[in-house]
């Protein structure tokens, strides 16, 4: 009986860890939410990045890719995202705590970047 319960518990743990987040759940995440509130809505991230150089590299890549896309098609939402990510880079140059969470949303990686425990940047899909 103990082995059976252990097996069931292990299976439930694995199922819980492999949860993919739906776009509807992801759309509930907005800038200004606390880290705890984000985790209450969509759970723990698949990856947590606290290394500031890695976060800066991710920010630089996002800004570069977004500016390239912006040069092809003007989009106010994209411009706002670029501005927010530039704000993340500025926060990295101060004493503020910056943390990046990576989630799998409908098989795509999406990020939430927290500045002092508050969601500052949420990577939504840019509408076409």
């Amino acid at each position: 009986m103990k082995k059976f319960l252990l097996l069931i518990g292990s299976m439930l743990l694995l199922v819980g860890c492999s949860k993919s987040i739906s776009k509807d759940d992801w759309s509930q995440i907005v800038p200004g939410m606390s880290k705890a509130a984000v985790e209450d809505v969509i759970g723990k991230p698949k990856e947590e990045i606290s290394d500031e150089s890695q976060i800066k590299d991710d920010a630089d890549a996002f800004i570069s890719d977004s500016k390239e896309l912006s040069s092809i098609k003007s989009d106010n939402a994209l411009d706002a995202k670029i501005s927010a990510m530039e704000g993340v880079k500025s926060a990295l140059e101060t004493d503020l705590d910056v943390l990046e969470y990576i989630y799998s949303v409908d098989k795509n990686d999406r990020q939430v970047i927290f500045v002092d425990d508050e969601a500052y940047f949420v990577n939504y899909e840019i509408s076409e």
Side-chain angles (χ1 to χ4, degrees):
M1 183 66 165
K2 284 183 180 180
K3 287 182 181 181
F4 177 74
L5 291 175
L6 183 60
L7 177 64
I8 296 297
S10 297
M11 289 173 56
L12 289 173
L13 180 63
L14 288 174
V15 169
C17 291
S18 62
K19 175 186 173 194
S20 181
I21 300 163
S22 71
K23 287 182 181 180
D24 288 340
D25 289 341
W26 184 253
S27 68
Q28 295 177 47
I29 307 305
V30 294
M33 291 177 77
S34 71
K35 188 168 51 167
V38 169
E39 290 177 358
D40 283 347
V41 175
I42 57 176
K44 297 276 188 188
K46 77 174 197 174
E47 183 179 359
E48 182 177 317
I49 302 169
S50 59
D51 178 47
E52 291 185 359
S53 64
Q54 178 63 48
I55 296 171
K56 183 183 179 305
D57 289 347
D58 291 348
D60 286 338
F62 180 88
I63 290 168
S64 176
D65 292 347
S66 297
K67 283 185 175 179
E68 186 175 320
L69 182 59
S70 184
S71 71
I72 297 169
K73 177 186 176 194
S74 180
D75 185 326
N76 290 339
L78 184 57
D79 292 341
K81 292 199 156 304
I82 293 169
S83 179
M85 193 58 88
E86 287 171 343
V88 167
K89 285 180 58 179
S90 294
L92 287 167
E93 297 170 1
T94 67
D95 289 336
L96 299 173
D97 291 323
V98 181
L99 182 67
E100 181 176 2
Y101 273 14
I102 306 294
Y103 287 94
S104 180
V105 181
D106 287 342
K107 300 181 183 177
N108 294 302
D109 283 349
R110 299 274 184 240
Q111 66 202 121
V112 179
I113 298 181
F114 297 93
V115 175
D116 275 353
D117 196 41
E118 185 175 289
Y120 187 84
F121 175 85
V122 180
N123 188 357
Y124 300 104
E125 201 169 12
I126 301 295
S127 59
E128 310 239 352

